[in-house]
């Protein structure tokens, strides 16, 4: 068994207030050395503010931040040995690639011979060896992003921070660069924290994901855990593409359950979990890709009326009405006719149950 890595970054009860506005609420997280962690959440959730606190660009209103056991509170940004890659790349347009990558080393008064070796090494790491004499304007967006990463790696940082590193790239280039960044991390092993609002980027690139909302971390876990066992209804709906269906469910007086006026008699395994959650007002989470369209009277099926369908190349996304609530299912092959009534059969192990009032996961033994 591999020994656990020491904690490289520790954030302990950190908060941040701007005037009357509290942006971060008691954030605590511990990141092992060599890990790749994504801070994921919608705009305004506080993830970029947290990154700035780590980098030293803002000061926390409360709590402590430690890097490799060293307290960072009060330590200026330039003395933290942290590399930051901004979404705008922030390359100097009048400098060559070599000069851009060497900039941080020059600020540290590194001898020219050593700086030259560091620059060459960093450019090789990002697969841009031989590009040193070019100007930023001669490079593609993906190449400019890799130059920005090389500049951060050249100082051999104790921590690498990526602030929405792919947001300025087109969709096709974004996918290829995210593979490049992950492979680079695996080669270099630098502890990395990335901010993103794109759940696909977070889930595909990071070892662990911290899902944020309203200035809090709602769940910090491996991507598989985040997807398969979301801690709250927000996490369940925010992570996954297409988004999970969240439907209010009520007990039926004669037994069973109902979505609005649509009755449902779930399979035994789901029924057992619903009984555990019976004291709550229940929100059922159903992922579109884990639903099957079956006959409306099939055991365990939820009756639904087909409203429309989208053709998305590899599959169709069928939109349905269930007792006045909207839902969707990802379907291979032809979609049922609009207006037809079908059955939706969930994979019992994939059904998620949440408290409709607080959003917490419920119904687990």
């Amino acid at each position: 068994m591999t020994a656990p890595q020491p904690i490289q970054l520790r954030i302990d009860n950190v908060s941040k207030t701007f005037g009357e506005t509290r942006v971060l609420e008691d954030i605590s997280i511990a990141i092992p050395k060599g890990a790749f962690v994504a801070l994921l959440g919608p705009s305004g959730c506080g993830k970029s503010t947290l990154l700035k606190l780590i980098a030293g660009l803002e000061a926390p209103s409360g709590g402590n931040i430690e890097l490799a056991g060293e307290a960072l509170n009060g330590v200026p940004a330039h003395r933290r040995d942290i590399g930051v890659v901004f979404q705008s790349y922030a390359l100097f347009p009048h400098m060559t690639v070599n000069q851009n990558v060497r900039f941080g080393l020059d600020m540290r008064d590194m001898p020219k011979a050593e700086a030259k070796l560091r620059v060459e090494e960093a450019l090789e790491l990002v697969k841009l060896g031989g590009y040193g004499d070019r100007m930023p304007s001669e490079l593609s967006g993906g190449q400019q992003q890799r130059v920005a990463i090389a500049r951060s790696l050249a100082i051999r940082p104790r921590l690498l921070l990526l602030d929405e590193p792919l947001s300025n790239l087109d969709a096709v280039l974004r996918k290829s660069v995210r593979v490049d960044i992950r492979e680079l991390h695996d080669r270099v092993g630098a502890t990395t924290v990335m901010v993103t609002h794109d759940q696909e980027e977070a889930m595909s690139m990071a070892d662990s994901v911290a899902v944020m909302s309203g200035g809090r971390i709602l769940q910090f876990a491996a991507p598989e855990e985040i997807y398969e066992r979301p801690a709250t209804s927000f996490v369940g709906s925010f992570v996954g593409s297409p988004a999970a269906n969240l439907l209010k469910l009520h007990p039926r007086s004669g037994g069973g359950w109902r979505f609005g006026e649509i009755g449902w008699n779930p399979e035994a395994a789901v029924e057992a979990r619903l009984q555990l959650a019976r004291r709550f007002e229940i929100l059922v989470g159903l992922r579109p890709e884990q639903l099957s369209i079956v006959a409306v009277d099939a055991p365990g099926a939820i009756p639904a009326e087909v409203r429309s369908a989208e053709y998305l190349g590899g599959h169709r996304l069928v939109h349905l009405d269930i007792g006045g609530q909207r839902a969707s299912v990802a379907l291979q092959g032809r979609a049922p006719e609009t207006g037809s009534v079908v059955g939706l059969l969930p994979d019992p192990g994939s059904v998620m149950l949440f408290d409709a009032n607080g959003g917490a996961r419920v119904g687990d033994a």
Side-chain angles (χ1 to χ4, degrees):
M1 182 180 295
T2 305
Q5 290 290 327
I7 298 301
Q8 184 73 351
L9 177 67
R10 187 182 300 277
I11 299 169
D12 188 23
N13 293 319
V14 164
S15 61
K16 180 62 179 178
T17 302
F18 292 103
E20 298 295 317
T21 304
R22 199 164 178 84
V23 178
L24 292 175
E25 294 273 2
D26 299 325
I27 297 289
S28 293
I29 191 172
I31 298 175
K33 186 175 183 179
F36 192 128
V37 169
L39 304 178
L40 172 66
S43 297
C45 72
K47 58 188 185 297
S48 292
T49 299
L50 181 56
L51 198 79
K52 290 176 182 177
L53 298 184
I54 298 168
L57 303 176
E58 296 279 358
S61 303
N64 300 293
I65 301 174
E66 292 183 0
L67 181 59
E70 175 191 339
L72 292 184
N73 290 26
V75 178
H78 68 276
R79 293 186 56 196
R80 295 190 177 198
D81 284 335
I82 293 176
V84 184
V85 178
F86 299 99
Q87 64 184 89
S88 62
Y89 316 144
L91 299 181
F92 298 109
H94 62 287
M95 292 184 179
T96 65
V97 167
N98 277 336
Q99 290 168 332
N100 268 283
V101 176
R102 202 180 65 219
F103 181 79
L105 304 177
D106 290 341
M107 293 297 98
R108 288 164 170 77
D109 294 323
M110 181 171 289
K112 289 185 178 180
E114 184 179 353
K116 182 174 182 295
L117 290 175
R118 290 272 196 102
V119 170
E120 291 173 352
E121 177 188 63
L123 288 175
E124 287 294 336
L125 282 172
V126 299
K127 301 178 183 177
L128 287 177
Y131 283 70
D133 293 330
R134 299 194 188 188
M135 304 300 289
S137 60
E138 300 177 89
L139 305 179
S140 69
Q143 289 170 330
Q144 289 184 48
Q145 184 61 283
R146 283 188 277 157
V147 172
I149 293 172
R151 181 173 59 191
S152 290
L153 291 176
I155 65 172
R156 296 181 183 171
R158 296 186 293 174
L159 181 68
L160 180 63
L161 303 179
L162 307 177
D163 182 15
E164 298 275 9
L166 308 179
S167 61
N168 286 340
L169 306 179
D170 63 59
V172 174
L173 189 56
R174 191 179 299 135
K175 290 188 176 183
S176 67
V177 174
R178 81 184 187 202
V179 173
D180 289 341
I181 291 176
R182 178 66 221 201
E183 291 180 352
L184 175 64
H185 172 268
D186 291 342
R187 291 198 306 273
V188 177
T191 308
T192 303
V193 177
M194 176 181 72
V195 160
T196 181
H197 65 274
D198 188 312
Q199 56 95 16
E200 188 173 305
E201 289 176 9
M203 300 290 278
S204 65
M205 295 172 68
D207 304 316
S208 299
V209 178
V211 182
M212 297 184 64
S213 179
R216 296 181 181 274
I217 293 178
L218 302 184
Q219 188 170 6
F220 179 47
E224 296 83 359
E225 178 78 5
I226 295 281
Y227 179 82
E228 295 170 10
R229 293 184 59 80
T232 70
S233 56
F234 176 86
V235 176
S237 62
F238 192 76
V239 174
S241 182
N245 304 296
L246 293 177
L247 307 172
K248 282 192 174 181
L249 182 70
H250 303 278
R252 200 166 48 180
S253 57
W257 304 84
R258 62 181 177 84
F259 296 101
E261 298 305 316
I262 299 297
W264 181 40
N265 294 303
E267 294 185 354
V270 177
E271 176 66 30
R273 293 180 58 215
L274 284 168
Q275 292 301 330
L276 288 173
R278 201 173 182 92
R279 68 183 183 277
F280 299 96
E281 185 177 357
I282 298 173
L283 203 60
V284 177
L286 303 170
R287 294 206 178 276
E289 64 274 23
Q290 294 173 331
L291 290 168
S292 302
I293 291 183
V294 297
V296 69
D297 57 355
I302 304 168
E305 181 182 347
V306 178
R307 289 296 178 87
S308 63
E310 297 176 80
Y311 177 64
L312 300 175
H315 66 279
R316 283 179 169 83
L317 193 62
V318 182
H319 302 282
L320 310 103
D321 181 276
I322 302 175
Q325 301 182 75
R326 298 304 295 266
S328 61
V329 56
L331 179 69
Q332 302 291 331
R334 297 183 63 83
E337 290 187 12
T338 299
S340 62
V341 178
V342 300
L344 284 187
L345 186 63
D347 171 11
S350 71
V351 175
M352 303 175 287
L353 304 180
F354 305 101
D355 176 2
N357 295 315
R361 187 181 179 96
V362 296
D364 295 324

